[in-house]
Amino acid sequence: MTKYTLILLGAIGVGKGTQAQRLSRHLGIPQIATGDLLRMEGQAGTDLGRRAAEIMNRGELVPDDIIVDMVRGRLLRDDAVRGAVFDGFPRTVPQAEALDGMLKDMDLPTPHVVSIEVPESEIIERLSSRRVCVTCGAVFNVKINPAAIENHKCPKGEARVILRDDDQPETIQQRLTVYRAKTLPMVTHYREKGSFREVSGMGTEDQVFARILIAMDPDLS
Ligand code: ADP
């Protein structure tokens, strides 16, 4: 059984979620997106979900211990025995250290790490035109494909597509500040280890996907 773990790094809004979904299908391993897990807790109305929503809407990070417990629980589910694609995690040095330990304990391999690079001006532009479906979480861009979400409805169902609370302009700035302070140091953690690659996140989804596959392992593309 081939096992695989992949961490997608990059600032907020570089397209990690979209690419992680495609990689998860391509590799046959689940996507573990901590932002999505937190939003699901919010929708389920759990205590954790309520506390997290408040932190997320301020553009801050949810405490490491909560995140690490949540990821451990998710990794222990059957579908993750062959590994996972991590998206939005780890986001701090302690989270990266905790993940190293978890992967060892669970007999999963050292992760491939791919960082998606996009200039900040482009990130701000993309986030303010991003819309998400309140039910299925599908992501759309009003500038790239306005027809897909005519009348603010998700084409995969009838649910509404909205601007995420944390994609409001003031919150975007705060998230970028937090990214520089807390997440960039974590990138160094991986940069100094073996399998770290950077790819450009500019261009079409297909182009970025192809670059990631080649960066991970030319045999996969
Ligand atoms: P984006 O990549 O666009 O910032 P995410 O869905 O990954 O979107 O994250 C949204 C918010 O969820 C973050 O701003 C943060 O508040 C919280 N969050 C997600 N993942 C983590 C994490 N690993 N550690 C701490 N907070 C997190």
Side-chain angles (χ1 to χ4, degrees), residues 183-213:
T183 306
L184 274 183
M186 185 273 300
V187 177
T188 310
H189 174 95
Y190 289 112
R191 204 185 282 274
E192 287 164 358
K193 290 188 170 190
S195 166
F196 178 89
R197 298 274 183 284
E198 278 179 2
V199 299
S200 161
M202 300 297 281
T204 65
E205 246 181 73
D206 287 347
Q207 287 169 331
V208 179
F209 184 63
R211 283 181 205 132
I212 296 174
L213 290 182

Side-chain angles (χ1 to χ4, degrees), residues 44-83:
T46 63
D47 267 358
L48 165 61
R50 266 194 297 274
R51 277 172 57 203
E54 198 190 304
I55 298 171
M56 290 161 81
N57 291 345
R58 287 203 308 265
E60 304 287 341
L61 292 183
V62 172
D64 289 333
D65 52 343
I66 294 181
I67 297 285
V68 168
D69 284 350
M70 200 172 69
V71 171
R72 185 180 292 110
R74 180 63 190 84
L75 262 182
L76 284 169
R77 280 173 39 192
D78 288 348
D79 63 342
V81 284
R82 286 187 45 241

